[in-house]
């Protein structure tokens, strides 16, 4: 199965050093996978939250589970939002960046 137009896979079987997010109505953001701390998918598979250090990104769309799995394996090179979806493939409709400051980090006991 070929990836959706909104997702660019790195060379098959090889890990990408970074992933590029084309923020909806904003700049492009390139983050190294080494800073990735978590990827969390909502129960309805319509919201994927990606955490890179203190930078959090929210990806909205449809059928995001395959994208989550590829991100966990460092196989995605680039993600951008698109208006149209392709049947059965992951579709990202919106990418939002939210930066969390130190005051939101849990206290260390």
């Amino acid at each position: 199965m070929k990836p959706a137009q909104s997702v660019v896979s790195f060379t098959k079987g090889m890990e990408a050093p970074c992933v590029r997010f084309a923020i909806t109505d904003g700049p492009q953001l390139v983050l190294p996978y080494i800073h990735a701390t978590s990827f969390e998918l909502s129960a309805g598979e319509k919201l994927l939250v990606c955490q890179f250090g203190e930078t959090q990104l929210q990806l909205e769309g449809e059928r995001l589970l395959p994208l989550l799995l590829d991100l966990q394996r460092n196989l995605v090179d680039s993600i951008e939002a698109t208006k149209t979806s392709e049947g059965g493939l992951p579709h990202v409709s919106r990418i939002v960046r939210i930066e969390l400051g130190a005051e939101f980090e849990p206290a260390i006991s």
Side-chain angles (χ1 to χ4, degrees):
M1 178 187 310
K2 74 175 196 138
Q5 290 180 355
S6 60
V7 178
V8 177
S9 295
F10 200 59
T11 306
K12 190 73 172 167
M14 301 208 32
E15 293 182 351
C18 299
V19 60
R20 179 186 66 85
F21 294 90
I23 307 298
T24 303
D25 300 327
Q28 294 185 20
L29 186 63
V30 178
L31 298 169
Y33 273 111
I34 197 165
H35 292 164
T37 53
S38 69
F39 299 106
E40 184 177 339
L41 186 62
S42 68
E45 295 187 22
K46 294 185 183 229
L47 179 67
L48 176 59
V49 178
C50 305
Q51 188 77 37
F52 289 81
E54 292 187 3
T55 301
Q56 184 181 83
L57 296 112
Q58 295 182 346
L59 285 65
E60 299 171 6
E62 301 288 330
R63 299 172 301 281
L64 297 176
L65 180 59
L67 177 57
L68 166 70
L69 297 174
D70 283 348
L71 283 167
Q72 289 174 330
R73 295 180 187 119
N74 301 356
L75 297 177
V76 178
D77 184 50
S78 178
I79 302 172
E80 60 185 75
T82 60
K83 294 182 182 183
T84 58
S85 65
E86 298 176 49
L89 295 175
H91 174 246
V92 177
S93 59
R94 187 166 178 245
I95 303 173
V96 180
R97 180 181 69 179
I98 301 168
E99 292 189 53
L100 300 176
E103 65 271 16
F104 295 105
E105 293 180 4
I108 299 174
S109 320

